[in-house]
Amino acid sequence: LQNMGLQGGHWPAARLASLRPVCRAALARRGVARRALEEAADRVIATLRRCLEDPRGRWILDPGQREARCEYPLTGVLGDQLVHVIMDRTFIDADGVRWIVDYKTSAHEGGGVEAFLDREQERYREQLERYARLMALREDRPIRLGLYFPLLAGWREWAPGDFDG
């Protein structure tokens, strides 16, 4: 996803398939057991393909977005603590809104997808809001947060503080 966001361009199915050996090697380096490599590589390729098929995925990965960054490190002081984070994706859209998007490659089997996405939003809300607080120290513009689930074409978005009491 990082390479797609940085390179843009056309990613046909043949190009995705050619990434299989790279995926296998990367997964092996991260400790995926040899017996699980094929299935894990299939999942990576399926995730990438679904991002390209999904209009939301293409919008998130569009390298034409202003100030688009992938795996963007950010450090700052929140309260009395030095905080260091790495954002999956951030950019400024055509309306001047800063987006901070976190990818979630989890799958969900069975029904209740909307409830699953709601639970995941609650689970990761604090993390993304921390990212927003750090970004707000650097710039003064509206910020929106998003969780993107490519395998589900799932999306949750909110403004920082939407869930505060």
Side-chain angles (χ1 to χ4, degrees), residues 138-154:
R138 301 182 70 132
E139 62 184 36
D140 183 26
R141 74 172 70 247
I143 296 175
R144 298 283 300 169
L145 305 170
L147 286 174
Y148 180 56
F149 300 80
L151 289 172
L152 303 170

Side-chain angles (χ1 to χ4, degrees), residues 104 106-126 147 149 152 156 158 163:
K104 298 300 175 196
S106 53
H108 178 73
E109 302 297 327
V113 172
E114 292 302 313
F116 169 76
L117 294 174
D118 290 343
R119 285 190 306 273
E120 292 296 281
Q121 181 179 11
E122 183 56 33
R123 179 178 172 191
Y124 292 105
R125 179 181 59 84
E126 184 178 320
L147 286 174
F149 300 80
L152 303 170
R156 288 293 182 265
W158 69 99
F163 297 97

Side-chain angles (χ1 to χ4, degrees), residues 4 11 13 15 18 22 25 44 47 49 71 81 101 104-105 122-124 132 164:
M4 286 179 167
W11 288 75
R15 184 172 182 189
S18 74
V22 175
V44 169
T47 300
R49 184 173 38 273
E71 299 298 315
Q81 293 189 338
V101 178
K104 298 300 175 196
T105 57
E122 183 56 33
R123 179 178 172 191
Y124 292 105
D164 293 344

Side-chain angles (χ1 to χ4, degrees), residues 79-97:
D80 60 353
Q81 293 189 338
L82 182 65
V83 177
H84 177 74
V85 301
I86 299 177
M87 298 178 199
D88 287 348
R89 179 77 169 164
T90 185
F91 57 88
I92 299 170
D93 71 12
D95 296 324
V97 174

